[in-house]
Amino acid sequence: MSENTPDDAILPEKPRRKRGPLVGVILAVVVVLVAVVLIVVNTTSDSGTSAGHTTVKIGVTDASSDYWKTFRQIAADNGIDLELVNFSDYTQANPALAQGQLDVNLFQHLLFLANYNVSANQDLTPIGSTYVVPLSLYSRKHATVADIPQGGQIAIPNDPTNQARALLVLQSAGLISLRGGGNVLSTPAEIDQAASKVTVTPVDASQTVAALPSVDGAIVNNNFALDANLDPSKALFNDDPANPSAEPYINTFVTRAQDKDNPTYLKLAQLYRDPRVAGEVKAESKNTAVLVERPNTDLQAILDRLEQTVRAAKK
């Protein structure tokens, strides 16, 4: 037999039986039943989702975090199937959302969003607050803020967002004074040296921990502090999530402006407050993350103010 010859090609054709009307009816019924079964299968077994579920594509930067497994299950129990899209570069998640490649993203605080909206002429919108991770002052030489001597030296991150926030933290701690009270875009040039107790030394954020042995203190981002096994409970000072100065750093769910009232997206933001998710988020941050519950009208008002500040700075 040739390799290219189908097996049934060498078999005689089977005689065809005449079908009576009853057989035709039976065949018609079978066809209808098969079609119904296929419709049911297609509507209940699409990529593992069930009837009535809505898939939401969400952009994140920490898809490997344990709490996402819990959050996805809770969302699924409420009819929402989460598709995580992870970004290693923080600059990619907002353009992807603006271009419709995502439905929602969750990775940024309001100041980051304000900078993006102004620079990209966009109107991405916060639809649910999540948490603030305090920015903290650590020291290997002193046990309290009061122990830091006059003329002491403090290392701070040198990137614009964290630098300004670090200056506001130091001002709240009573270690420096910023002319005009400072804002989310303040720089060391605005420090009133005569009214300040310490001087600041900007360094790369990743080097703030390394600077600790040679300075009186350092403002260290939470991720670098945890990587270095610094104990957050031993921080000398951090910004207060209840203080207006911490409002720009509220992390939020974000979507396009036209989707801000989408009930599924709003439900997702609400489900994030489930104690099971909140507990895992806090545990992962070693209890530094502070959950924040602010109405969306507040979040938008804060964003509007931040965007005005950013625009004014660009003039």
Side-chain angles (χ1 to χ4, degrees):
M1 182 190 308
S2 168
E3 185 177 352
N4 296 321
T5 305
D7 292 346
D8 60 357
I10 61 172
L11 297 177
E13 183 179 0
K14 291 183 179 180
R16 299 178 180 177
R17 297 179 181 177
K18 294 183 180 180
R19 296 186 177 95
L22 179 59
V23 174
V25 171
I26 292 173
L27 285 174
V29 171
V30 169
V31 169
V32 171
L33 288 174
V34 169
V36 170
V37 169
L38 288 174
I39 292 172
V40 171
V41 169
N42 286 335
T43 58
T44 60
S45 300
D46 182 16
S47 301
T49 61
S50 57
H53 276 220
T54 300
T55 298
V56 174
K57 188 176 292 187
I58 181 167
V60 303
T61 55
D62 61 346
S64 61
S65 295
D66 291 340
Y67 76 88
W68 279 111
K69 181 178 180 181
T70 301
F71 189 31
R72 290 180 75 176
Q73 183 58 58
I74 292 171
D77 291 342
N78 284 269
I80 304 172
D81 294 315
L82 285 183
E83 180 181 338
L84 302 187
V85 180
N86 197 67
F87 295 89
S88 58
D89 183 344
Y90 281 29
T91 64
Q92 296 175 347
N94 279 331
L97 177 60
Q99 294 164 14
Q101 299 169 25
L102 305 171
D103 300 309
V104 180
N105 67 37
L106 177 58
F107 77 98
Q108 65 191 318
H109 52 52
L110 290 170
L111 179 55
F112 190 98
L113 177 59
N115 275 293
Y116 171 76
N117 276 349
V118 171
S119 62
N121 194 28
Q122 288 289 342
D123 58 355
L124 299 185
T125 303
I127 61 166
S129 60
T130 57
Y131 56 84
V132 170
V133 177
L135 189 61
S136 300
L137 171 65
Y138 292 89
S139 177
R140 295 199 190 279
K141 297 179 179 180
H142 310 293
T144 68
V145 170
D147 293 337
I148 297 175
Q150 184 73 33
Q153 186 180 15
I154 306 294
I156 65 171
N158 64 2
D159 57 286
T161 298
N162 286 308
Q163 178 174 259
R165 186 181 182 187
L167 293 173
L168 293 173
V169 169
L170 293 178
Q171 180 168 255
S172 296
L175 293 173
I176 66 169
S177 177
L178 295 167
R179 288 189 289 273
N183 60 46
V184 293
L185 301 176
S186 288
T187 69
E190 298 170 38
I191 297 175
D192 183 343
Q193 296 292 351
S196 299
K197 185 178 182 181
V198 301
T199 60
V200 302
T201 301
V203 300
D204 188 274
S206 64
Q207 296 302 308
T208 51
V209 172
L212 276 170
S214 59
V215 294
D216 291 284
I219 297 288
V220 183
N221 291 79
N222 192 62
N223 57 324
F224 295 123
L226 296 181
D227 288 346
N229 293 317
L230 293 179
D231 184 351
S233 68
K234 300 292 178 61
L236 274 59
F237 191 84
N238 53 254
D239 44 7
D240 178 6
N243 190 293
S245 66
E247 288 181 342
Y249 312 107
I250 298 172
N251 286 270
T252 67
F253 283 87
V254 175
T255 192
R256 291 176 293 279
Q258 64 265 34
D259 294 329
K260 66 184 178 66
D261 296 319
N262 183 295
T264 298
Y265 304 162
L266 292 173
K267 178 68 172 178
L268 196 62
Q270 178 186 350
L271 293 173
Y272 189 90
R273 303 187 183 284
D274 186 287
R276 290 167 289 178
V277 178
E280 291 188 8
V281 170
K282 288 180 69 68
E284 183 166 304
S285 71
K286 292 190 177 179
N287 291 320
T288 58
V290 178
L291 295 177
V292 176
E293 189 165 355
R294 298 286 292 270
N296 290 346
T297 51
D298 282 6
L299 300 178
Q300 187 61 52
I302 296 167
L303 178 65
D304 290 342
R305 291 198 299 270
L306 292 172
E307 289 180 356
Q308 290 173 11
T309 300
V310 173
R311 288 191 187 95
K314 290 181 178 294
K315 290 181 179 179

